[in-house]
Amino acid sequence: YLKQVDRSAIELTFERASEKVKEPNAAIEGPDLARFQNFAKELPNWLDIAAKRMQDIRKRTASSTPAYSAASGPTMVNRPLKGLAHLVRPSERPAVVTPTSPAPRSGAPVPSASTSEVLEGSVQERIAARHGPGVLETIRIGWLTKPLLILRGGPGVGKSDLACSLIEDSAGDRVLTVAVDPTWRGREDLLGHVNPIDGWFVPTAVTELLHRAEKAWDAGDRLPFLLVFEEFNLSQPEHWLSELLVRSQYVATNRNARTIRLGGKRVTGWGEKEEPRVFLAPSVRMVATINSDHTVRALSPRVLDRAAVVTLAVQPHEALRRVGLELEKQELDAIADLDFRMRQRGAVFSYRTAESLKACLGRLSELGVQRSRALDLVLVQEVLSKVRL
């Protein structure tokens, strides 16, 4: 089990504690005081050692990711992580066993076994670099086990960026971002409707992507297609997404159960011989981004039971590093302390806040304000304004 924390927050905590123990009425004395002082003195060295160990573990765990073959699809290898193997004595290491699963009952709804169960190696490296190995691990599990992956977190923590980069899509035709509308009430909002004048079905961009995925699947193409639902819980998803959620539960070989009947005589823009229906190919994956505040709807158990939820967060030092902004230690400590105090009240430091700080500090002379004043104003506007009481 690995846990990574904000170094500046730890150092600030021990600085304050060191001041407290010097007070006349301090409750710590004798051996306990000596032990604390020794710990505080050696803390920087131990943090350096911890940082180096974390880097080594990341390198070793990255080398143990599953291999992907374009010809045969991904290969899952059941083995201990190389990065943690040294923590287990050879005699205690578990034997490598390839599990077998009983064959599903014909037609029974079970999680579909898609050939895109494993994220591509380049995608895994990108996720680990931006969000850490812990987030990568949870996403890999969710990608494997559920048809819907939900990314939850405060504004500006990188949900949208992560959602749209879960597959490689150089051509730009395998990923579709869907902005959920608060007025959505049924499947016609997602998939389309029948024109009452000519009786033809008018498809949406979502239906068109499902159509492309079906054609690719039938041609032997097993590369994934991705539907990204932004602001997923602005309306009740079980009302407009139920068709896809239900169909996605069936095995790939049960084509009838995974086929969506659209309605109408024909589909506008499709071939004359094509029926108004679309097969939900197992290569179609769904990912959604949600916020947790009073402006959105709570997700129902029906949706959560079919989804894997991954919570994202970002520490100030990581956000600043990502945007390429270096601050003085005192400034970084103040921001870390503010983030620690405000996080429980819904006010988080985000990548957007880091970008704003970088923009302001780069143009101080033009703005005509002092550096500390610019820092204060940005933090008031973009962090303290989010506080919920």
Side-chain angles (χ1 to χ4, degrees):
Y1 178 80
L2 302 178
K3 175 69 176 178
Q4 188 171 12
V5 294
D6 188 354
R7 175 171 183 155
S8 60
I10 294 177
E11 292 175 334
L12 182 61
T13 299
F14 273 86
E15 286 179 9
R16 291 178 174 175
S18 298
E19 295 174 359
K20 288 287 185 181
V21 299
K22 295 177 182 178
E23 296 177 358
N25 59 346
I28 183 173
E29 57 185 14
D32 290 336
L33 176 59
R35 186 161 61 249
F36 169 81
Q37 292 174 334
N38 180 66
F39 192 101
K41 177 183 177 182
E42 297 296 332
L43 182 64
N45 295 331
W46 289 340
L47 290 175
D48 289 340
I49 295 173
K52 185 178 184 304
R53 286 182 178 177
M54 179 61 75
Q55 291 177 354
D56 293 341
I57 289 174
R58 283 183 175 177
K59 291 178 181 178
R60 290 196 295 270
T61 53
S63 66
S64 66
T65 54
Y68 184 93
S69 169
S72 60
T75 302
M76 288 293 292
V77 183
N78 188 359
R79 62 188 177 195
L81 287 176
K82 291 181 179 179
L84 305 181
H86 68 286
L87 300 178
V88 185
R89 298 188 185 93
S91 60
E92 296 176 353
R93 290 177 186 166
V96 178
V97 180
T98 301
T100 58
S101 302
R105 291 178 287 109
S106 177
V110 296
S112 60
S114 168
T115 58
S116 57
E117 287 171 343
V118 181
L119 295 171
E120 295 175 280
S122 58
V123 173
Q124 294 192 47
E125 293 172 3
R126 184 165 60 241
I127 294 174
R130 293 182 181 181
H131 300 277
V135 171
L136 171 61
E137 184 179 48
T138 56
I139 287 178
R140 288 179 62 193
I141 292 174
W143 191 263
L144 174 70
T145 58
K146 297 292 184 180
L148 173 62
L149 187 69
I150 297 177
L151 304 180
R152 177 177 61 189
V157 298
K159 300 188 298 295
S160 299
D161 175 70
L162 175 58
C164 295
S165 61
L166 288 174
I167 69 171
E168 295 291 356
D169 182 38
S170 57
D173 60 352
R174 291 179 178 270
V175 177
L176 175 64
T177 301
V178 181
V180 176
D181 192 280
T183 63
W184 283 10
R185 293 296 180 267
R187 77 165 211 164
E188 64 276 3
D189 295 310
L190 181 69
L191 300 176
H193 65 279
V194 176
N195 188 327
I197 297 177
D198 57 17
W200 284 33
F201 187 86
V202 182
T204 63
V206 172
T207 306
E208 295 289 4
L209 180 129
L210 298 179
H211 190 226
R212 293 198 302 272
E214 176 184 0
K215 288 183 174 295
W217 182 269
D218 291 341
D221 182 353
R222 296 301 185 257
L223 291 177
F225 285 73
L226 189 64
L227 279 172
V228 179
F229 298 105
E230 289 276 26
E231 304 292 348
F232 183 61
N233 55 341
L234 277 181
S235 65
Q236 296 289 163
E238 61 268 25
H239 294 163
W240 49 267
L241 192 65
S242 59
E243 182 94 52
L244 267 63
L245 287 177
V246 170
R247 303 297 176 193
S248 64
Q249 295 180 93
Y250 291 88
V251 293
T253 54
N254 193 344
R255 192 177 184 98
N256 182 61
R258 293 184 67 93
T259 296
I260 301 171
R261 277 72 181 174
L262 300 173
K265 301 174 184 177
R266 284 173 49 188
V267 179
T268 303
W270 293 12
E272 294 183 4
K273 296 183 179 180
E274 292 188 272
E275 297 184 12
R277 62 181 63 184
V278 64
F279 169 61
L280 180 58
S283 55
V284 175
R285 312 308 296 258
M286 294 179 287
V287 59
T289 66
I290 66 173
N291 289 299
S292 301
D293 57 43
H294 66 283
T295 66
V296 298
R297 304 294 186 97
L299 295 179
S300 70
R302 285 178 292 174
V303 174
L304 292 174
D305 191 54
R306 294 175 171 89
V309 181
V310 178
T311 301
L312 300 181
V314 60
Q315 296 293 338
H317 72 278
E318 175 62 20
L320 293 167
R321 183 191 65 81
R322 279 276 303 277
V323 303
L325 176 61
E326 293 186 7
L327 296 180
E328 298 175 3
K329 184 178 184 302
Q330 184 179 7
E331 296 170 338
L332 185 59
D333 288 345
I335 292 175
D337 184 43
L338 177 68
D339 181 74
F340 176 77
R341 292 170 180 269
M342 297 294 101
R343 186 171 291 270
Q344 299 303 319
R345 295 174 174 82
V348 296
F349 189 93
S350 69
Y351 289 114
R352 296 190 184 100
T353 307
E355 290 281 7
S356 298
L357 284 176
K358 182 179 180 180
C360 286
L361 296 182
R363 306 177 71 172
L364 287 177
S365 58
E366 180 180 339
L367 292 171
V369 298
Q370 295 182 344
R371 180 184 177 92
S372 60
R373 178 64 174 164
L375 284 169
D376 280 347
L377 289 176
V378 171
L379 294 174
V380 167
Q381 291 174 349
E382 301 194 20
V383 178
L384 294 183
S385 61
K386 301 174 187 175
V387 171
R388 296 195 305 268
L389 301 179

